[in-house]
Amino acid sequence: MANANIELTGYPGNVVDKMIRLGYAKTKTEAIRLALYQFDQDHKLSDEHAFGELTGKILEGVASGKVKTRRFKPSELD
């Protein structure tokens, strides 16, 4: 992950400061990460979300019996 120094002033700075003041985040970095996470949750930008949905569908299929699984022996995984 790359490092970046960002100066927050005006509206963005006020939002980050309020996130810290209200206890949503402990640091400015954490506040920015939370804001980016929420933005991604709202707009579905990352592939991780798609993988999470796919994993959920597969696990539902396994639980319902629609997707069959079998237990592997450790010797089969080499």
Side-chain angles (χ1 to χ4, degrees):
M1 176 180 269
N3 290 325
N5 292 322
I6 301 170
E7 183 178 340
L8 297 172
T9 59
Y11 178 77
N14 291 340
V15 170
V16 167
D17 290 342
K18 193 161 188 177
M19 288 175 74
I20 294 167
R21 200 169 46 251
L22 295 174
Y24 291 110
K26 293 180 183 178
T27 65
K28 289 182 179 183
T29 300
E30 185 178 3
I32 292 168
R33 285 183 181 143
L34 287 170
L36 289 171
Y37 175 79
Q38 184 61 47
F39 186 86
D40 180 51
Q41 293 297 301
D42 291 346
H43 299 284
K44 316 287 189 250
L45 299 177
S46 72
D47 291 336
E48 186 176 322
H49 180 74
F51 290 127
E53 283 186 10
L54 179 59
T55 303
K57 288 179 183 178
I58 291 171
L59 292 175
E60 287 174 12
V62 170
S64 69
K66 292 179 181 178
V67 174
K68 302 295 181 194
T69 61
R70 74 173 184 90
R71 193 173 292 226
F72 287 92
K73 296 176 188 172
S75 61
E76 292 179 288
L77 301 174
D78 291 330

